[in-house]
Amino acid sequence: MRPLAEARAEVLSAMPRLGSGPVDAGSSVGRVTALPALAREHVPPFDNSAMDGFAVIAADVAQAPRTLKVIEDVAAGSVPVSTVVPGTAVRIMTGAPMPSGADAVVRVEDTEAVGRDEVTIAVSVEEQHNVRPRGGDMSPGDVIVDSGIKLTARHAAGLASAGIVPVVSDMPAVAVISTGDEVVPYTTRDLAPGTIRDSNRVLLRAVLAELGVPIIDLGIVGDDPVELRSVYQDAASRADLVISTGGVSMGDYDYVKQVLGDLGSVEFWKVAMQPGKPFAFGSINGVPLFGLPGNPVSSFVSFEQFVRPAILHMMGATNLLRTQIAGTMGEDVVTSPDRTVFLRVMLAQDADGTFVAVKSGGQGSNMLSSLASADAFAAVPVGVGSLSAGDDVTLEMFRWPEGRRGDE
Ligand code: AMP
Ligand code: MG
């Protein structure tokens, strides 16, 4: 059996990289920067006020209270024309440019109007108090977002403030195929004897949608070598990456192996992980192909451990793996010591804030109810074999606990 990390490294090194191009910052969320995004201008572009108040010379109000003559009003969006000299102030709004001569702003709460043209400044202030200097946030040449970063809404705002159109990697189009004579569309009304609903393709489409990649759904293919051959060929001609489920284990009707072997270079791996051991990986005409196990949870674990990182790598991302955190097991568990075992767990936080994991239900590789209610995989590494309640465990997070309240 191949160690998981080694198998993943091999998969990643075989992924082709895609092209890149500019994209509107407002629609860039989920895309990965292909180049570092550098500021070309100062942000803010000019010294401006952080408060509604009065622009003054700090030294002029050192002996507050002091009454000053108000020589101008300046709103955000307009440009002051006067110069503040000792004995004078400019009434200024948040975001308005600082008038020349002034070096601080006293907020309106610390002042009192005297008639229409004068103001009493009640407090003394340091130079630059309530002034947002030009370039205080960003300066030309600053890296706003490095390359290889999957953009969030917060990045988009940072890019927009510097007028940057990000250059992002292209998204791979991903083809999805379910195989198996017993597999029927999940919307089938009455299941014929011996048939099961196709959950794999729904799961794959949903996780791919989360990644934001274009999906080519090629439906369900029976255990028929001729049909399989034509669907895989079609997939490889249209997609940048192909995922199928089923047909890769030791069964009599597992034709996927044979067909893929004929069409391209495909290897059948036994990876030291559970669930998800049998797994086909290779390419057809240079298009990478993943043959995932048919069992739904095996298929999901293989997706998480190989396909998701592979797609992110193709998209140019630097961070390929889910966030891992240290937690503790909340119950005793026994696992196969020869594999990394991924337990579906629910998390609670103890008084110290430590995440405590308990199994979210049955751990059979066909059991989706426990996957649906899980927050994370507890990864029990090769060589461990058992954990007791209170032992440390690594948690691969796919949902943070607040998600259980329904707002994930
Ligand atoms: P296989 O890898 O084809 O031997 O399938 C292993 C198990 O996964 C069998 O119980 C199949 O019925 C089940 N299975 C295969 N494909 C799917 C699918 N698309 N959705 C749900 N279960 C599946
Ligand atoms: Mg099958």
Side-chain angles (χ1 to χ4, degrees), residues 21-161:
V23 69
D24 165 46
S27 1
S28 68
V29 172
R31 305 295 297 271
V32 178
T33 46
L35 299 171
L38 303 183
R40 280 173 316 215
E41 56 194 33
H42 289 98
V43 182
F46 47 85
D47 290 358
N48 68 93
S49 177
M51 287 283 170
D52 295 330
F54 291 85
V56 299
I57 300 167
D60 203 25
V61 296
Q63 309 297 321
R66 169 99 201 266
T67 298
L68 304 173
K69 184 168 162 39
V70 180
I71 55 173
E72 189 180 347
D73 279 18
V74 53
S78 60
V79 177
V81 292
S82 19
T83 296
V84 174
V85 295
T88 69
V90 161
R91 185 178 287 110
I92 192 166
M93 302 302 136
T94 305
M98 287 293 287
S100 60
D103 59 16
V105 171
V106 179
R107 57 184 190 148
V108 71
E109 294 90 329
D110 294 327
T111 68
E112 199 174 327
V114 183
R116 290 183 50 172
D117 298 338
E118 286 189 324
V119 62
T120 299
I121 305 293
V123 296
S124 63
V125 288
E126 302 277 306
E127 271 181 37
Q128 299 306 310
H129 188 68
N130 289 333
V131 176
R132 302 190 289 209
R134 172 174 197 258
D137 188 4
M138 305 175 191
S139 298
D142 283 358
V143 177
I144 309 307
V145 185
D146 216 332
S147 61
I149 303 297
K150 200 157 188 284
L151 294 170
T152 64
R154 298 173 304 286
H155 290 119
L159 294 168
S161 74

Side-chain angles (χ1 to χ4, degrees), residues 73-263:
D73 279 18
V74 53
S78 60
V79 177
V81 292
S82 19
T83 296
V84 174
V85 295
T88 69
V90 161
R91 185 178 287 110
I92 192 166
M93 302 302 136
T94 305
M98 287 293 287
S100 60
D103 59 16
V105 171
V106 179
R107 57 184 190 148
V108 71
E109 294 90 329
D110 294 327
T111 68
E112 199 174 327
V114 183
R116 290 183 50 172
D117 298 338
E118 286 189 324
V119 62
T120 299
I121 305 293
V123 296
S124 63
V125 288
E126 302 277 306
E127 271 181 37
Q128 299 306 310
H129 188 68
N130 289 333
V131 176
R132 302 190 289 209
R134 172 174 197 258
D137 188 4
M138 305 175 191
S139 298
D142 283 358
V143 177
I144 309 307
V145 185
D146 216 332
S147 61
I149 303 297
K150 200 157 188 284
L151 294 170
T152 64
R154 298 173 304 286
H155 290 119
L159 294 168
S161 74
I164 299 171
V165 174
V167 175
V168 297
S169 295
D170 294 341
M171 291 290 225
V174 179
V176 182
I177 306 165
S178 288
T179 76
D181 281 341
E182 77 283 26
V183 179
V184 298
Y186 91 94
T187 48
T188 303
R189 228 183 101 170
D190 300 308
L191 286 178
T195 63
I196 57 149
R197 298 183 195 278
D198 180 2
S199 57
N200 287 349
R201 202 159 39 93
V202 171
L203 177 104
L204 289 175
R205 287 183 54 145
V207 287
L208 291 169
E210 274 174 11
L211 283 170
V213 297
I215 300 165
I216 302 171
D217 185 351
L218 295 177
I220 301 167
V221 188
D223 293 312
D224 173 83
V226 176
E227 212 189 324
L228 282 167
R229 193 186 169 89
S230 95
V231 173
Y232 278 113
Q233 266 174 325
D234 180 32
S237 71
R238 290 161 61 189
D240 298 300
L241 186 144
V242 179
I243 311 171
S244 68
T245 65
V248 293
S249 27
M250 306 302 285
D252 287 348
Y253 302 97
D254 289 339
Y255 292 118
V256 170
K257 286 184 175 186
Q258 177 197 322
V259 169
L260 292 179
D262 291 349
L263 282 178

